[in-house]
Amino acid sequence: MATGQSHRIPRGNAMITYTEYKLQPSDSGKDLKKIARERLNGENLYKDILRMLEAPNAQGRPWYAEIVQKDRIGSDWTLLLPPAKAIPPQPAPSDLATFKIISKANVRTSPKLDPGNIHFVGPIGTIYTYKRSSMITDANGMVWVDVTPSNLPRKASGATYWMCVREGSIHHTDPYI
């Protein structure tokens, strides 16, 4: 009886693969709910945990049993754990975020103060979407972000649009970027 060994056990109308788990000294004082939470990723699976009585044999004697008193388990028991609950994958964090401008800001075609690259002046209170990974700070301490994902007027296909969101300690956005 080695911890981790698998056994196919009939449960209802299906064969379920259970895994042996020899209780460890660190499990002292734990109940089945706690073990199910830690080992099976789901507290409610405690009711499906079985007790292994002896090594499986061919003589037909029962080698596992239901645990009647779910809050009382022996420290020397070997449990049979059902399959763990699948943990849903966490969505990748989005590179996009939004902000609202709190003072007039120019949307530019490059992160420079050249007079010829102003696309339009964004009115106060407008909400923009920007790429977090695009944030750059120029030599003058101005922080620029790519606002191309925003709904911009007269947007040219393939062009990138920039906005200064902070000049030194002066912020132009809510929330501050």
Side-chain angles (χ1 to χ4, degrees):
M1 293 191 304
T3 294
Q5 188 173 348
S6 296
H7 304 281
R8 304 231 344 122
I9 299 175
R11 302 293 283 169
N13 294 332
M15 293 294 285
I16 307 294
T17 301
Y18 277 75
T19 305
E20 290 181 26
Y21 177 67
K22 175 75 175 141
L23 289 173
Q24 305 297 312
S26 61
D27 295 321
S28 176
K30 293 181 183 175
D31 62 1
L32 288 179
K33 284 187 177 184
K34 176 89 171 156
I35 290 171
R37 189 179 318 118
E38 292 174 357
R39 301 269 165 200
L40 303 175
N41 305 321
E43 183 177 276
N44 292 336
L45 293 174
Y46 79 96
K47 61 187 174 299
D48 298 326
I49 296 175
L50 303 172
R51 178 181 177 197
M52 188 167 182
L53 303 174
E54 60 182 57
N57 58 42
Q59 284 114 351
R61 290 196 320 244
W63 58 276
Y64 62 89
E66 296 282 338
I67 301 171
V68 179
Q69 293 182 316
K70 306 284 187 193
D71 58 340
R72 289 196 169 160
I73 56 176
S75 60
D76 61 340
W77 287 7
T78 298
L79 301 177
L80 293 166
L81 304 178
K85 181 179 176 184
I87 299 175
Q90 298 297 318
S94 174
D95 187 36
L96 299 179
T98 60
F99 64 85
K100 177 172 60 171
I101 58 171
I102 56 177
S103 60
K104 283 187 180 178
N106 293 322
V107 174
R108 298 175 176 269
T109 55
S110 69
K112 297 178 184 164
L113 293 178
D114 297 337
N117 73 353
I118 295 176
H119 182 64
F120 74 96
V121 178
I124 296 172
T126 304
I127 295 176
Y128 291 91
T129 301
Y130 73 101
K131 294 179 183 177
R132 293 178 199 222
S133 61
S134 71
M135 190 178 333
I136 58 171
T137 304
D138 67 15
N140 299 321
M142 298 176 80
V143 178
W144 298 85
V145 294
D146 177 354
V147 294
T148 307
S150 300
N151 185 16
L152 303 173
R154 304 179 323 275
K155 193 182 331 184
S157 179
T160 304
Y161 297 93
W162 296 86
M163 182 181 287
C164 176
V165 294
R166 186 174 74 216
E167 297 176 56
S169 63
I170 302 169
H171 294 269
H172 301 291
T173 64
D174 178 24
Y176 291 163
I177 298 176

